[in-house]
Amino acid sequence: MRSTGLVAIDAHVHLHDERDAASILQQAAGTFSRNAPGAGVAVCMLAERDGFDVFSALRAQLLPTAEAESLWLDESHTLLVVAGRQIVSREGLEILGLALAERVVPEGRPASEIVAALRAHDALPVLPWGVGKWFGPRGRLVDRLLTEEPDLFLGDNGGRPAFWPVPRFGRGIARVLPGSDVLPLRGTASAIGSFGCLVDCDLPADRPAAALRRALRDPEAELVRFGGLASPLRFAVDQTRLRVGKAAA
């Protein structure tokens, strides 16, 4: 079986609790259909932080493929879950390794070494935007990596407020993979599938992640963003909730 046509991708998905992960993915399927109604397949690309491995727990609940890094939600083959990691470099830069099942790249190494290790494991290396994370020395590091590292992606996210432009996204140096990047706050998981990109590709049921990697790396494949950025009010509320939660912890 092969799923063909438009594929909707949320390229920065956090699942914070394995106990409700499957139900959140079911909910995400509906969110995808509302925000990208023309897509035949939806893809949640996980970016699991150090200490998290929800994907392994999902193996016992979802439909396996011939790949270690991908699972189908069910036999309809309309929602794909792809493993991935979020790694913090020695310089404090967050780097995603998408389509990577194993925890093979440790944190705390120089960013250039992490990117090289991800590439060696056939993962998609992504530098995700975050509030205040591309300023100063880290911003200069981002620019250097974009110049020196081939096949590096930038990551936009749905929590970025519409009033906050990011000139790097328009330079054409790197392809931009958008994703929801939901914060670890109550109720935010409903945003999974609300922000991402569309790409035209075929996904074989047995090896969909390999096909997805090829499509995303293809410079001729157009990535069309869907969904909207955060309103100023939502941005302010989310940031306040996040800071209050960290202070309480």
Side-chain angles (χ1 to χ4, degrees):
M1 179 178 176
R2 179 182 291 267
S3 299
T4 62
L6 278 181
V7 175
I9 305 165
D10 183 335
H12 196 152
V13 173
H14 292 298
L15 296 174
H16 299 106
D17 192 335
E18 63 186 49
R19 293 171 297 181
D20 60 3
S23 63
I24 286 174
L25 291 170
Q26 290 279 3
Q27 182 181 24
T31 306
F32 272 109
S33 65
R34 291 190 296 274
N35 288 275
V41 179
V43 181
C44 288
M45 303 195 80
L46 303 190
E48 298 204 72
R49 300 182 180 93
D50 193 39
F52 287 81
D53 193 8
V54 177
F55 186 82
S56 290
L58 288 171
R59 292 184 191 278
Q61 304 174 57
L62 306 187
L63 189 66
T65 70
E67 303 170 317
E69 68 271 26
S70 65
L71 298 166
W72 291 103
L73 180 63
D74 53 41
E75 293 183 354
S76 70
H77 296 91
T78 54
L79 190 140
L80 179 70
V81 182
V82 179
R85 306 301 305 175
Q86 178 172 295
I87 307 155
V88 180
S89 75
R90 178 181 298 173
E91 305 89 347
L93 190 67
E94 290 182 359
I95 303 171
L96 308 185
L98 302 184
L100 175 69
E102 300 84 7
R103 288 178 284 180
V104 293
V105 183
E107 296 202 329
R109 295 170 60 183
S112 58
E113 290 186 13
I114 291 174
V115 171
L118 291 173
R119 189 179 297 112
H121 286 88
D122 201 26
L124 301 173
V126 182
L127 301 181
W129 180 87
V131 179
K133 294 180 180 178
W134 284 2
F135 293 145
R138 285 185 296 189
R140 291 190 289 275
L141 175 59
V142 168
D143 290 333
R144 189 174 79 243
L145 289 171
L146 290 174
T147 301
E148 298 175 352
E149 300 291 342
D151 303 323
L152 188 61
F153 294 82
L154 289 176
D156 198 1
N157 78 67
R160 176 170 67 91
F163 63 78
W164 193 322
V166 181
R168 291 181 182 90
F169 290 154
R171 292 178 186 170
I173 299 174
R175 290 163 74 75
V176 179
L177 290 180
S180 57
D181 189 16
V182 295
L183 298 172
L185 300 170
R186 185 181 299 276
T188 56
S190 61
I192 295 173
S194 65
F195 191 72
C197 67
L198 296 164
V199 65
D200 196 345
C201 67
D202 297 346
L203 296 184
D206 59 340
R207 295 190 176 275
L212 191 62
R213 280 194 292 264
R214 288 193 297 270
L216 293 176
R217 287 170 174 156
D218 182 357
E220 301 300 319
E222 185 179 9
L223 305 182
V224 180
R225 194 178 76 176
F226 68 84
L229 296 170
S231 68
L233 178 60
R234 177 192 146 195
F235 174 74
V237 170
D238 284 351
Q239 291 300 311
T240 299
R241 291 178 64 198
L242 185 64
R243 280 156 177 73
V244 168
K246 287 181 177 179

